[in-house]
Amino acid sequence: MIQRDILIGIDIGGTFTDAIVADRTTREVLLAFKVPSTPADPSIAVVSALERIAARQSIVGCQVCHG
């Protein structure tokens, strides 16, 4: 697993929560996807997105931006 300087962006919407992972050095988009939003508790969708990302690469020490 390559350790990169990554930035995670998460945007909670009414139907879907969008997630994007980008390499801060190369500006390459590494991953982009949607998970179903959870209006009763939006944090569930955020954690779901982070777990999906963490299954593919380390997120230790990365910056997360929320919109």
Side-chain angles (χ1 to χ4, degrees):
M1 189 178 312
I2 299 171
Q3 182 64 35
R4 297 181 178 201
D5 183 14
I6 63 171
L7 174 65
I8 298 172
I10 297 178
D11 180 52
I12 299 171
T15 304
F16 292 102
T17 295
D18 302 305
I20 187 165
V21 181
D23 184 309
R24 292 171 60 128
T25 304
T26 65
R27 299 184 185 268
E28 174 187 7
V29 174
L30 305 173
L31 189 61
F33 61 91
K34 295 176 181 286
V35 296
S37 291
T38 50
D41 185 351
S43 68
I44 294 171
V46 172
V47 170
S48 175
L50 291 172
E51 287 174 339
R52 184 168 166 181
I53 295 165
R56 297 186 66 151
Q57 65 184 59
S58 174
I59 62 173
V60 174
C62 71
Q63 183 177 3
V64 178
C65 296
H66 172 264

